[in-house]
């Protein structure tokens, strides 16, 4: 039994209680190769979700009666079926959320994408790990800051970040092996700094803890800080985060149709287990809603401090 399982449930396991969101990984190709990426996405990755898998995802959404479909990647916009899939989900009456790195909006062929997203009332969750250029450059590479600011301005001009149903949330993650600060306080700083510097607005700031997996784990190992970071996460365990853990309320679908309890387990290649169906072809909402979750010591990344999920802090 892992230390996490002992602390979270004294060996009784962690169980899901609903599937309000289905998160869909459309592929691992990305126009960036960020230093902290837990999926090790890059322009060279070729894994991508095919249209027949997307059709089965839509069936699964109906069966699970989920309220939101959360599209991620890589850069989900680079999937060749992206617009067709978003349109089909919208026509089904599902709320669609897209996790965008912002810079993809300046890639060739993406010129009309913001207008398309607006037309489908797509909620956006956009990476913006700091309001300071040097910190963004260190994590995400040269030119990313300027392109991200230009993308937010473009989205603002369409009403994103100001109209109530055109949600534009920004995502902060730490620039190293430390926990995020208080989400509400940091949001106020982001709001005033981005307004003052560029006149831009956003809906909410979400703080997300760096998981010690993927490229971030490689970076920790290179710097000899992996053990220290694990110690930090474990000793910052907050029991108040457990009821809100995202794996208890959603499920993730990989580009090949495999089912995971969350995006981090997807990155670790740990599919749904404990007897629940683990592929979209055998999606069974009744058993997946109350499945036993596959957990390990990486899970301390979700329960440290204020907690962390794809929707930001948990407490
Ligand atoms: S963190 Fe996001 S933007 Fe960066 S390489 Fe990974 S998927 Fe792409
Ligand atoms: S890493 Fe995944 S499975 Fe583990 S606690 Fe976080 S959301 Fe749940």
């Amino acid at each position: 039994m892992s230390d996490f399982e002992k602390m979270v449930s004294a060996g009784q396991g962690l169980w899901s209680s609903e599937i309000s969101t289905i998160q869909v990984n459309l592929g691992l190709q990305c126009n960036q190769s960020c230093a902290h990426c837990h999926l090790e996405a890059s322009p060279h990755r070729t894994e991508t979700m095919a249209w027949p898998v997307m059709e089965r995802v839509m069936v699964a959404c109906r069966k699970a009666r989920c309220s939101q479909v959360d599209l991620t990647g890589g850069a989900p916009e680079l999937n060749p079926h992206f617009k067709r899939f978003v349109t089909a989900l919208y026509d089904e009456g599902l709320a669609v959320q897209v996790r965008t790195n912002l810079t993809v909006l300046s890639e060739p062929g993406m010129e009309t994408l913001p207008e398309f997203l607006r037309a489908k009332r797509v909620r956006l969750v956009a990476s913006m790990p700091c309001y300071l250029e040097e910190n963004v450059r260190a994590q995400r590479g040269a030119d990313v800051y300027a392109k991200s600011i230009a993308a937010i301005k473009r989205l603002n001009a369409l009403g994103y970040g100001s109209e109530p149903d055109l949600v534009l949330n920004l995502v902060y993650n730490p620039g190293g092996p430390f926990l995020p600060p208080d989400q509400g306080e940091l949001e106020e700083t982001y709001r005033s700094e981005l307004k003052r510097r560029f006149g831009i607005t956003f809906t909410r700031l979400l703080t997300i803890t760096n998981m010690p997996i993927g490229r971030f784990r490689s970076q920790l190992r290179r710097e000899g800080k992996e053990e220290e970071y694990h110690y930090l996460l474990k000793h910052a365990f907050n029991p108040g985060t457990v009821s809100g853990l995202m794996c208890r309320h959603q499920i993730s679908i990989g580009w090949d149709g495999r089912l995971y309890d969350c995006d981090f387990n997807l990155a670790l290649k740990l599919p749904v287990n404990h007897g629940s169906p683990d592929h979209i072809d055998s999606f069974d909402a009744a058993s997946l809603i109350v499945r036993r979750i596959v957990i390990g010591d990486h899970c301390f990344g979700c329960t440290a401090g204020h907690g962390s999920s794809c929707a930001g802090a948990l407490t």
Side-chain angles (χ1 to χ4, degrees):
M1 190 192 309
S2 67
D3 286 349
F4 183 77
E5 182 158 6
K6 282 183 212 154
M7 282 176 86
V8 83
S9 69
Q12 298 305 301
L14 183 67
W15 297 77
S16 59
S17 58
E18 60 172 349
I19 300 179
S20 58
T21 295
I22 291 189
Q23 191 172 66
V24 189
N25 190 305
L26 296 190
L28 301 181
Q29 191 188 22
C30 187
N31 56 312
Q32 293 181 194
S33 318
C34 304
H36 66 287
C37 184
H38 63 275
L39 283 156
E40 304 188 57
S42 80
H44 308 295
R45 300 296 294 260
T46 54
E47 300 92 332
T48 194
M49 185 174 277
W51 178 252
V53 181
M54 293 177 177
E55 288 182 309
R56 292 200 281 278
V57 171
M58 282 189 280
V59 174
C61 291
R62 264 179 242 133
K63 286 183 180 168
R65 298 204 178 126
C66 69
S67 54
Q68 176 173 259
V69 183
D70 186 17
L71 305 183
T72 185
E77 302 93 330
L78 295 180
N79 183 297
H81 310 294
F82 175 78
K83 283 187 177 175
R84 186 180 175 193
F85 189 40
V86 169
T87 302
L89 294 167
Y90 175 80
D91 291 345
E92 282 274 330
L94 288 157
V96 182
Q97 179 167 278
V98 170
R99 295 185 180 271
T100 181
N101 65 20
L102 291 172
T103 62
V104 75
L105 298 181
S106 55
E107 290 289 303
M110 299 289 164
E111 293 79 8
T112 59
L113 189 58
E115 286 78 9
F116 169 81
L117 296 168
R118 184 185 196 282
K120 304 302 175 197
R121 315 318 271 181
V122 172
R123 302 172 186 168
L124 296 177
V125 178
S127 312
M128 191 67 190
C130 192
Y131 51 83
L132 295 172
E133 182 169 6
E134 55 267 33
N135 292 341
V136 174
R137 191 186 315 119
Q139 263 190 44
R140 301 178 80 79
D143 297 337
V144 169
Y145 187 76
K147 285 182 179 174
S148 301
I149 296 295
I152 296 174
K153 283 185 175 175
R154 176 105 193 274
L155 292 166
N156 278 174
L158 293 174
Y160 270 103
S162 57
E163 290 182 26
D165 66 336
L166 289 176
V167 173
L168 174 60
N169 290 334
L170 302 184
V171 174
Y172 160 90
N173 64 281
F178 51 90
L179 296 179
D182 179 84
Q183 183 171 272
E185 287 174 17
L186 188 61
E187 179 177 294
E188 287 318 306
T189 308
Y190 261 65
R191 210 175 282 293
S192 60
E193 288 293 330
L194 290 175
K195 184 83 182 165
R196 183 176 66 80
R197 289 161 192 254
F198 307 107
I200 61 183
T201 58
F202 61 94
T203 310
R204 280 191 57 214
L205 180 74
L206 313 178
T207 56
I208 297 186
T209 301
N210 289 326
M211 292 299 275
I213 60 177
R215 275 196 206 116
F216 187 62
R217 177 171 57 191
S218 304
Q219 184 182 330
L220 289 170
R221 284 183 179 166
R222 277 197 305 277
E223 295 171 357
K225 293 180 176 168
E226 189 179 14
E227 206 173 313
E228 188 186 321
Y229 190 57
H230 276 283
Y231 182 90
L232 170 72
L233 296 180
K234 186 172 167 182
H235 288 266
F237 177 75
N238 176 357
T241 61
V242 174
S243 63
L245 288 171
M246 61 183 172
C247 49
R248 305 191 69 186
H249 307 282
Q250 66 180 55
I251 197 160
S252 289
I253 304 176
W255 63 272
D256 56 357
R258 185 135 333 251
L259 306 180
Y260 300 88
D261 293 300
C262 71
D263 198 47
F264 304 121
N265 284 4
L266 184 157
L268 290 167
K269 299 186 173 64
L270 295 171
V272 163
N273 204 333
H274 303 302
S276 299
D278 69 355
H279 197 274
I280 194 71
D281 290 343
S282 49
F283 192 92
D284 173 24
S287 70
L288 287 165
I289 283 170
V290 290
R291 70 192 184 279
R292 184 170 179 175
I293 295 163
V294 176
I295 51 180
D297 284 347
H298 62 288
C299 296
F300 283 119
C302 294
T303 53
H306 294 289
S308 179
S309 75
C310 287
L314 296 171
T315 59

